[in-house]
Amino acid sequence: MLHDANPFPEALDGAGAKEPQARAPGKGRMYFGLSVAILAAGIAGNADIALSPLLLSGMAQFLHFDDRLLGELASTSSVGSALATVAALFFMHRKGWPLRLTAIVCLCAYAAINLAIPSFFDNPALLVAAIFLGGLCSGLLWSVAVTAQATVHGNERLIAIFYGTPYLTGLVFQPLMPLVFARWGLPAAYFGIAGACVLSLLVVRYFPSRTVETAAPEAASGATERGRHVSFVGIAIVLLALFVQYCANSGIWVYFDRIGRLAGHAPQASANAVALGVGMALVGTMLATMLTVRLRPLPTILIISAAMAVVTLGLLEAGQYLLFAGSISLFNVMITFITPFFFILLNRISASPGRVALAANICMMGGFALGPALVGRIVEGGDFTVAILATAVAFLVSAALVMLSAVGARFRA
């Protein structure tokens, strides 16, 4: 959910430039190959997060890990990915950076780590270290793909597909995971991720060779001085609200399948509900695309945050399958729907939207890294009641912080 949520992907190129950076290397077959190479790297780089709910359930079922260890493993992967993504901001977009070579190295390293992870199942300390290294490779690989898609001429459709691939991955493969676990065991999932990396190597030759030069952040944002009333405190409060929002949604999101199974649903039925929910996130993305120009960000954030709190409480009755599946679906729709409005709000109150967008992405990644660990520590004996209530409260806290920022801005004005 942290890699696929940025509504302004151009902000990730280090400049926020909206103009295409380079022409696609040829037309027709070459353009198709370029798109396939970028999408393949993106899918491989995001596979661990897209499949994390089922991977955690598999570890609980087959390895008998407790919820605290599961939360630590989920957070460790996210921390590694977040650190790699933050680090990539300092070098990945420099003119002449060898994108193709970086993609090859990341794919090989990520494949090797996923092949090795099953051998550490009986040693939690080494498993945590391996998961962390996998997160680093995942974050770098995703950053390479993000940078590459920004070099494609006329990349509007590619961007839309690119940021939808994590949800498509979950929608397609999560229902298959229980069957895979039952027949080949938990290691098969990690071998599958390694296989995705190997398949990506087959088309990596179409990857852009190097990063091209980008415009300065000030030029890309239109003007250095916009005549806005800038409040660093207000921006910080909104960023904190975004961080709390992602701590809440990621913390409970990775446990959806676990909650379903503990509620008494069959593994396949629970996996189907989770996969449907992940697919419904695409609906939230489409709605946001259509409505961001029509809705005001402040009231939208407040209303959707309150709605997410209500939907989260529906998980208290997870034993009712329709309510369980419906809550997950609505939850995913609202995650992808609300996120663009945070970026729009930050863009409006900041004199440097590009830089603030980068800070917002870091807050999202940090929230996604911390959330699962917090939930894992709250859960006792497989009882998610307190964690669900805490998640609902966190959404309300996020809304209250946004409201506090707005009230402060009006007071200063």
Side-chain angles (χ1 to χ4, degrees), residues 84-363:
T85 306
V86 172
L89 297 176
F90 294 96
F91 63 85
M92 193 73 71
H93 307 289
R94 291 181 179 179
K95 182 181 179 180
W97 184 265
L99 284 180
R100 186 183 300 158
L101 177 61
T102 305
I104 292 173
V105 171
C106 289
L107 286 168
C108 292
Y110 195 36
I113 291 172
N114 278 282
L115 289 174
I117 283 176
S119 63
F120 303 130
F121 281 163
D122 58 349
N123 191 323
L126 291 179
L127 179 61
V128 168
I131 292 291
F132 177 75
L133 291 176
L136 287 175
C137 292
S138 171
L140 283 176
L141 186 54
W142 177 259
S143 298
V144 171
V146 167
T147 306
Q149 59 87 18
T151 70
V152 179
H153 178 72
N155 62 353
E156 292 81 5
R157 291 183 178 178
L158 176 60
I159 288 175
I161 298 172
F162 180 80
Y163 284 94
T165 52
Y167 304 110
L168 291 174
T169 301
L171 178 64
V172 172
F173 289 102
Q174 289 202 53
L176 301 178
M177 298 289 278
L179 300 176
V180 172
F181 292 161
R183 180 156 186 166
W184 293 290
L186 186 61
Y190 291 96
F191 296 158
I193 295 175
C197 295
V198 173
L199 290 176
S200 297
L201 287 171
L202 299 178
V203 294
V204 76
R205 65 190 182 94
Y206 294 106
F207 221 80
S209 177
R210 296 183 180 276
T211 307
V212 296
E213 188 173 11
T214 57
E218 292 78 10
S221 61
T224 306
E225 298 296 333
R226 293 192 173 193
R228 296 175 177 176
H229 179 77
V230 179
S231 169
F232 293 105
V233 174
I235 293 172
I237 291 175
V238 176
L239 289 174
L240 177 60
L242 181 61
F243 174 76
V244 173
Q245 177 85 205
Y246 266 77
C247 278
N249 69 46
S250 68
I252 205 70
W253 182 82
V254 298
Y255 288 99
F256 277 162
D257 187 66
R258 174 93 168 125
I259 292 172
R261 296 193 186 192
L262 290 172
H265 303 306
Q268 187 63 60
S270 180
N272 290 342
V274 173
L276 175 63
V278 173
M280 289 298 291
L282 295 173
V283 176
T285 301
M286 291 186 291
L287 288 175
T289 302
M290 294 185 292
L291 298 176
T292 47
V293 297
R294 300 181 182 180
L295 300 179
R296 295 164 56 196
L298 177 61
T300 301
I301 291 174
L302 298 179
I303 293 172
I304 299 300
S305 294
M308 292 182 75
V310 173
V311 168
T312 300
L313 294 177
L315 294 173
L316 293 173
E317 300 295 331
Q320 301 181 33
Y321 187 75
L322 291 179
L323 185 57
F324 171 65
S327 296
I328 290 178
S329 295
L330 290 175
F331 192 96
N332 280 280
V333 169
M334 288 188 283
I335 286 177
T336 52
F337 182 78
I338 195 174
T339 302
F341 290 96
F342 271 101
F343 279 81
I344 294 171
L345 180 61
L346 288 166
N347 182 66
R348 292 184 179 180
I349 65 177
S350 170
S352 182
R355 293 178 181 177
V356 172
L358 294 178
N361 275 276
I362 293 173
C363 289

